Amino acid sequence: MAAEEIRKVNSEAYPMKGGDGPYSYTKNSTYQREAMESTKELVTKDIGEKLDIDHLLPSNVFHIVDLGCSVGPNTFSSVENILEAVLLKYQSQGPMNPQIPEFQVFFNDHTPNDFNLLFKSLPPNRQYYAVGVPGSFYGRLFPRASIHLFHSSFALQWLSEVPKEVVEKNSPAWNKGRIHYLSSTDEVVRAYNAQYVADMECFLHARAQELVDGGLMVLIIPGCPHGTSVSDTMAYLTIQLLEACLIDMVTKGVVSEEKLDSFNMPMYIMSPLELEAVVERNGCLIIETLKTLSHVLGSDTVLNAKLFASHGRAGFERLIKQHFGEEILDELFDLYHKKFEEELSIVKPRKASSFLVVLRRKAK
């Protein structure tokens, strides 16, 4: 096996908040769960139509991977839905159907992920053998042609690292006073875009090596639909309000200006055209489905503010703590909650958008 295929990837770890406390990802991921459940029929249909089990024979073990699994329960629901769809596919072959395989599921996330909680939470009556695989999905994780189906939900918005140019003071792309490329300069936008393209090329190359011919990837990726301004999305609002909170804390003297200037969110809000371009360059995968999923917020401002503030804390707390320290967390996220209430009471309803993407491995 070539060393470069399993080299250590230069990828920073941004796991969700572990445990099962009030600010944990386990307790604050209902939006992600609803989005995943809304795709169940579509995913079942795509697996039924696009999964070529003739290519998978005579394998008696079907390998499924959840990339960026975090700590559950969402990962278990996704795996169960996929497993049911694959079983339906095998059963649909009629009386001449091949023997239904056993299932092995690999749960992948960064090493600091709370794998202990994940495995304590495994469904007792599951129909699969469970394995944990720590490591970055921007590099190889599995042997060549060993995986039949990859799944990933709400993970590919995270970059492998912050673009180096945006934290270098002498760089034209230095992102002073901001924490993201949204509403920043063209140089910062280009740096983030280049990082996204490089990361996705690594991701697709690794998965193309690991998938069997005819294998599938089912992805749910937050993004911005074609024709929609990024500033009209919930992703934009989520990051802009966090930036505003940190700027307020610099003004109060709670956070130093230097600390703010050296902090950037390693996230990218992709568009369908960007995804299509990187898949086309890869050349080993076919886009079978690319569908926009939109969730319009309800009219209860207080409930919406609480939902997004708590979800934001579950997603961002470990990243904030790592850079700014633990002592600012409560004050920061209390302010974050208040700003969400203020903003949602005066702005027009925003859509929380993501994409369902189904990719198929071409025959070699």
Side-chain angles (χ1 to χ4, degrees):
M1 185 180 298
E4 60 269 18
E5 289 289 0
I6 55 173
R7 67 188 183 280
K8 181 179 179 182
V9 177
N10 181 26
S11 179
E12 300 177 18
Y14 315 111
M16 303 298 97
K17 183 171 175 59
D20 57 358
Y23 304 124
S24 66
Y25 187 76
T26 298
K27 297 284 180 66
N28 296 282
S29 54
T30 54
Y31 165 71
Q32 292 91 330
R33 182 158 58 251
E34 289 172 2
M36 287 186 281
E37 288 299 323
S38 73
T39 67
K40 181 176 179 179
E41 289 186 11
L42 290 169
V43 171
T44 299
K45 181 174 182 290
D46 278 328
I47 289 175
E49 294 177 354
K50 309 301 182 184
L51 185 66
D52 186 356
I53 60 175
D54 291 337
H55 267 103
L56 310 183
L57 300 174
S59 175
N60 59 357
V61 180
F62 192 96
H63 293 141
I64 299 170
V65 180
D66 190 30
L67 299 165
C69 62
S70 191
V71 292
N74 294 352
T75 184
F76 305 133
S77 297
S78 298
V79 165
E80 193 63 35
N81 292 343
I82 287 170
L83 194 147
E84 287 178 7
V86 174
L87 280 173
L88 281 174
K89 174 68 175 182
Y90 274 91
Q91 291 164 357
S92 70
Q93 303 304 299
M96 300 299 292
N97 69 307
Q99 181 180 352
I100 293 175
E102 293 186 294
F103 292 91
Q104 187 168 37
V105 177
F106 300 89
F107 294 95
N108 158 258
D109 213 312
H110 282 288
T111 303
N113 185 57
D114 194 346
F115 281 101
N116 285 336
L117 177 62
L118 177 76
F119 290 119
K120 286 178 184 177
S121 308
L122 278 167
N125 299 319
R126 61 189 180 277
Q127 303 177 71
Y128 54 85
Y129 298 94
V131 181
V133 181
S136 170
F137 53 51
Y138 287 119
R140 284 284 298 275
L141 294 166
F142 302 97
R144 191 179 300 273
S146 63
I147 304 300
H148 302 103
L149 195 149
F150 281 104
H151 171 266
S152 183
S153 293
F154 295 95
L156 279 167
Q157 73 272 24
W158 292 100
L159 299 172
S160 67
E161 60 182 347
V162 171
K164 292 180 174 60
E165 308 94 301
V166 304
V167 292
E168 295 175 353
K169 291 184 178 180
N170 297 324
S171 167
W174 184 31
N175 203 23
K176 178 177 172 56
R178 301 179 186 275
I179 69 168
H180 204 245
Y181 70 91
L182 300 173
S183 297
S184 194
T185 65
D186 290 344
E187 290 83 2
V188 173
V189 172
R190 284 195 289 269
Y192 266 88
N193 176 260
Q195 186 67 53
Y196 164 78
V197 170
D199 283 347
M200 283 302 294
E201 286 179 347
C202 289
F203 176 83
L204 294 176
H205 175 73
R207 302 296 84 78
Q209 299 301 306
E210 295 162 347
L211 274 171
V212 301
D213 287 357
L216 297 181
M217 269 200 287
V218 178
L219 312 173
I220 300 178
I221 313 173
C224 183
H226 182 65
T228 299
S229 171
V230 177
S231 62
D232 289 333
T233 65
M234 279 304 304
Y236 176 91
L237 182 62
T238 298
I239 295 170
Q240 289 301 100
L241 291 185
L242 183 62
E243 179 180 283
C245 291
L246 288 167
I247 291 172
D248 284 355
M249 295 183 79
V250 169
T251 303
K252 294 177 184 177
V254 178
V255 171
S256 72
E257 185 176 354
E258 184 180 6
K259 275 287 187 182
L260 176 61
D261 290 344
S262 60
F263 177 74
N264 283 266
M265 295 290 291
M267 298 178 70
Y268 190 81
I269 313 303
M270 52 77 77
S271 72
L273 294 178
E274 289 172 322
L275 180 65
E276 289 171 349
V278 75
V279 171
E280 184 175 351
R281 283 196 298 274
N282 174 268
C284 298
L285 300 158
I286 298 171
I287 297 178
E288 295 287 2
T289 298
L290 178 51
K291 182 177 177 59
T292 302
L293 310 170
S294 293
H295 175 70
V296 180
L297 299 183
S299 58
D300 190 329
T301 298
V302 174
L303 185 62
N304 289 334
K306 182 178 180 181
L307 173 73
F308 278 96
S310 62
H311 279 49
R313 181 163 188 168
F316 303 147
E317 179 176 305
R318 292 181 72 165
L319 188 62
I320 297 290
K321 178 181 175 181
Q322 179 181 329
H323 187 83
F324 294 99
E326 186 174 10
E327 60 276 5
I328 77 162
L329 293 177
D330 287 340
E331 182 178 350
L332 173 65
F333 286 107
D334 284 347
L335 183 58
Y336 191 51
H337 185 187
K338 291 174 184 175
K339 284 189 181 293
F340 255 114
E341 283 193 339
E342 294 169 2
E343 190 72 16
L344 294 178
S345 67
I346 60 175
V347 300
K348 62 181 179 180
R350 294 171 182 261
K351 288 184 177 180
S353 298
S354 53
F355 300 97
L356 171 64
V357 185
V358 178
L359 303 172
R360 180 169 54 83
R361 179 64 165 93
K362 294 179 181 178
K364 298 180 184 68

